[in-house]
Amino acid sequence: MPTYVHLVRHAQGYHNLCEENHALDDPDLTDLGEQQCEELFREFPYHDKITHLVASPMRRTIYTCLLSFRPDKSSVAKPAIVALPDIQEVSPFPCDTGSSASALSKEFDSKVVDLGLVKEGWNDKGPGSEYAPEPRKLHQRAKRAREWFANLGREYSEKEGRDAEIVAVTHGGFLHFLTDDFEGVDYGRGTGWANTEWRTYEVVEEDDGEVKLRERTDSWRRRRGSAAGLTETEQMELRAAFGEAVEKEFGNGNKGE
């Protein structure tokens, strides 16, 4: 049975308003961001199929998940939202660095948000950290996240005898690494994804053990119509270029997407 992942970029945060706000620590959603969550809640067509809710442990992603998917009104097992450090944002700057595990545990009800994977130090993005904004490490944690989704879906399907449908709320920059799709990257914003944009992927486990996310045809057609995607060579060229941009960017100030 397949596992599907509905990937969502968080709603507008205060860091998205201006470059000066990139100095804000783990910023809140704006009023517009909360409205975007309301619109996503109304427009998302698969609420009744969701089996798991997952979010980056950043406050804006957790709140986007809470407001857009209403775990208090859903049939998703409790704790409803699993916070997954591997899908946090790319840069090491304040707006893209999460709050401490202890601060998050005070802010979010453990009956609603599962912080079991969020350990003290998860928000360390220094050079020696596994979360440092280095292309090799970004690709490694994207790989870990895809494998985590695959394992979650497999375990659920074996237990429940039905497809797993996971919603994962994450960040504009990291979404390109997670999907290994770099088409449409706006280097000025650091992403090709809009706030609260969502796309649906199937988890594909290849013969060599590699786990990939393949965008579903209905998702592609909803946003691109009949347009053809990039070739593998073009994707590889963009992947290399975006990696180089990340290396250059984090030393000079990240766009905080």
Side-chain angles (χ1 to χ4, degrees):
M1 285 170 281
T3 294
Y4 300 111
V5 184
H6 305 283
L7 293 178
V8 183
R9 184 187 169 210
H10 64 79
Q12 186 190 68
Y14 280 99
H15 66 301
N16 293 136
L17 297 179
C18 61
E19 189 168 352
E20 290 73 20
N21 282 3
H22 298 170
L24 295 173
D25 293 323
D26 200 5
D28 285 320
L29 297 178
T30 64
D31 290 344
L32 175 59
E34 293 185 2
Q35 293 174 26
Q36 291 171 338
C37 292
E38 177 65 28
E39 291 171 3
L40 179 57
F41 173 72
R42 292 199 307 265
E43 296 173 2
F44 186 77
Y46 303 118
H47 286 290
D48 61 337
K49 295 184 178 181
I50 296 171
T51 58
H52 303 81
L53 295 174
V54 182
S56 154
M58 305 288 292
R59 296 174 64 250
R60 61 184 179 268
T61 40
I62 294 175
Y63 279 114
T64 297
C65 198
L66 285 168
L67 294 172
S68 303
F69 297 98
R70 313 284 176 89
D72 58 320
K73 297 180 180 180
S74 77
S75 60
V76 178
K78 305 298 187 290
I81 299 172
V82 176
L84 182 62
D86 272 341
I87 62 172
Q88 65 180 285
E89 184 54 304
V90 171
S91 95
F93 292 90
C95 65
D96 290 331
T97 300
S99 303
S100 67
S102 57
L104 292 172
S105 67
K106 293 177 182 178
E107 184 167 358
F108 296 103
D109 187 341
S110 62
K111 295 180 180 178
V112 179
V113 181
D114 181 354
L115 296 169
L117 299 175
V118 183
K119 309 301 182 184
E120 292 298 341
W122 79 275
N123 50 356
D124 175 9
K125 292 188 174 182
S129 167
E130 61 184 329
Y131 299 117
E134 303 167 15
R136 178 180 60 83
K137 291 182 178 180
L138 290 166
H139 287 297
Q140 285 177 340
R141 66 178 171 98
K143 180 176 182 291
R144 290 198 304 268
R146 290 191 295 268
E147 292 172 346
W148 189 87
F149 290 138
N151 289 334
L152 181 65
R154 187 185 311 109
E155 291 173 2
Y156 178 83
S157 294
E158 290 175 354
K159 180 179 179 181
E160 301 295 333
R162 56 169 290 200
D163 301 346
E165 299 223 13
I166 304 164
V167 165
V169 184
T170 178
H171 305 265
F174 187 67
L175 276 160
H176 291 287
F177 292 92
L178 184 59
T179 61
D180 208 20
D181 180 359
F182 297 88
E183 183 173 4
V185 173
D186 179 338
Y187 289 95
R189 297 189 304 117
T191 185
W193 290 61
N195 289 119
T196 61
E197 179 177 351
W198 61 277
R199 306 177 191 178
T200 300
Y201 295 79
E202 182 176 355
V203 175
V204 178
E205 298 186 61
E206 301 194 329
D207 292 340
D208 61 0
E210 183 76 12
V211 177
K212 294 186 176 182
L213 298 180
R214 181 175 60 207
E215 188 171 8
R216 265 185 2 197
T217 302
D218 59 326
S219 175
W220 174 266
R221 287 179 176 169
R222 173 174 53 83
R223 65 187 186 88
R224 295 296 302 276
S226 60
L230 297 181
T231 66
E232 185 174 348
T233 298
E234 289 170 330
Q235 284 285 9
M236 290 177 64
E237 291 172 349
L238 282 178
R239 171 177 173 165
F242 194 50
E244 291 174 3
V246 166
E247 287 189 310
K248 181 179 180 181
E249 183 82 17
F250 84 81
N252 297 312
N254 191 273
K255 297 302 181 185
E257 291 296 318

